[in-house]
Amino acid sequence: MDPTFTDRYAVQRIRHTLKARLLQVRRVTALGPHMVRVTLTGDLQDFVSASFDDHVKVLLPEGEALPVLPTFGPDGPSFPADQPRPVARDYTPRQFRADAQELDIDFVLHDHGPAGAWAAQARPGQHLGIAGPRGSMVVPMDFDWHILIGDETALPAIARRIEELPSDKRVIALIETQTQQDRIDLPVRDNVTVQWVDALPENDKRESHVTALEQAVRELALPSEGEGFIWAAGESAVIRAIRHHLVNERGIVKTRIRASSYWRRGCVGKHEVLDD
């Protein structure tokens, strides 16, 4: 790829006014045995999500009580002193429909974790708090091809990106799932290729320590023509290894790849952009 950049291919950073919102569940839709879509409504009049990989802080309620919301000032968020601070997790705004004032958030139903546990029992009428997005990193749609890499936690962002890209743009998606039942329906068109990857068993002891997703990336033939962008998100160590391979072994220019840690094995609530 040509390392010379023009404004046409520059990733744009947009800042948003940070606000906490009290929302109510309107619908709950099962997308598969381990993923559910929660459709929320409420205080969404000025909600903005400018990029497919934005994230909001989901502020979980305690039991049937309303979620505790912060206010935002020069020193950041401030929570009421007489109430416990809510558990918060990062989630992708899957789709916002301004006309209907509805926001979809897709949840992976883990066997553990407070957000997945909440989503597993969510029903219309319940309340949820969100804050953000704080900002957006807008990857131009002008690229000729887009490669999207991730695990189940990246599925909402990948699906949203495929939907939003123009139909003449080539898309290659590599997605690792724990089981074939974790695969969901994605937008289908002539220029979209989806490769599903089966995760290795937890007790796999192969000497190379290369995960199934990284191996799939290593075997992927990159498009030889046109300008492209690569996006990757998932478990921190896996995505870090994939980024290292693409930059240091494939020669991908660092400004043409965006890699994010959506979670880290052994940690909770870990979300960060991976760079040098």
Side-chain angles (χ1 to χ4, degrees), residues 33-241:
H34 303 119
M35 181 170 282
V36 67
R37 173 168 298 159
V38 178
T39 300
L40 302 158
T41 190
D43 180 16
L44 290 167
Q45 288 78 13
D46 55 351
F47 181 83
V48 176
S49 176
S51 177
F52 71 99
D53 67 347
D54 285 347
H55 62 271
V56 295
K57 287 286 184 185
V58 167
L59 308 170
L60 298 170
E62 186 71 28
E64 294 299 320
L66 292 178
V68 178
L69 302 183
T71 57
F72 293 94
D75 299 323
S78 176
F79 287 88
D82 60 342
Q83 298 182 63
R85 187 165 178 157
V87 174
R89 294 290 186 269
D90 289 333
Y91 276 87
T92 300
R94 175 61 180 83
Q95 187 179 61
F96 173 56
R97 295 175 292 281
D99 55 345
Q101 290 292 286
E102 291 183 343
L103 174 65
D104 292 338
I105 299 180
D106 294 351
F107 293 81
V108 177
L109 303 180
H110 297 293
D111 293 333
H112 58 281
W118 178 86
Q121 61 78 58
R123 60 186 185 275
Q126 291 182 325
H127 289 84
L128 187 71
I130 69 166
R134 181 186 298 273
S136 302
M137 294 294 289
V138 180
V139 178
M141 296 188 183
D142 287 339
F143 288 104
D144 300 298
W145 52 266
H146 304 255
I147 295 178
L148 309 172
I149 303 166
D151 58 20
E152 291 105 322
T153 62
L155 270 171
I158 290 173
R160 176 175 168 180
R161 184 59 166 176
I162 295 173
E163 285 180 354
E164 293 178 351
L165 283 169
S167 60
D168 63 335
K169 303 301 181 182
R170 183 180 179 188
V171 181
I172 301 172
L174 275 66
I175 308 166
E176 181 186 82
T177 60
Q178 293 300 311
T179 70
Q180 293 189 6
Q181 287 71 39
D182 293 317
R183 302 173 183 179
I184 65 171
D185 292 334
L186 292 173
V188 177
R189 61 175 186 263
D190 290 342
N191 286 343
V192 175
T193 301
V194 178
Q195 179 180 342
W196 294 101
V197 179
D198 294 326
L200 296 173
E202 286 291 333
N203 61 353
D204 188 283
K205 300 297 184 181
R206 61 178 58 188
E207 293 182 3
S208 67
H209 300 292
V210 173
T211 63
L213 185 59
E214 181 185 345
Q215 186 61 40
V217 173
R218 287 178 172 274
E219 295 172 359
L220 176 67
L222 299 178
S224 58
E225 297 181 354
E227 302 296 330
F229 194 91
I230 300 175
W231 179 90
E235 199 280 324
S236 179
V238 175
I239 300 303
R240 191 178 298 276

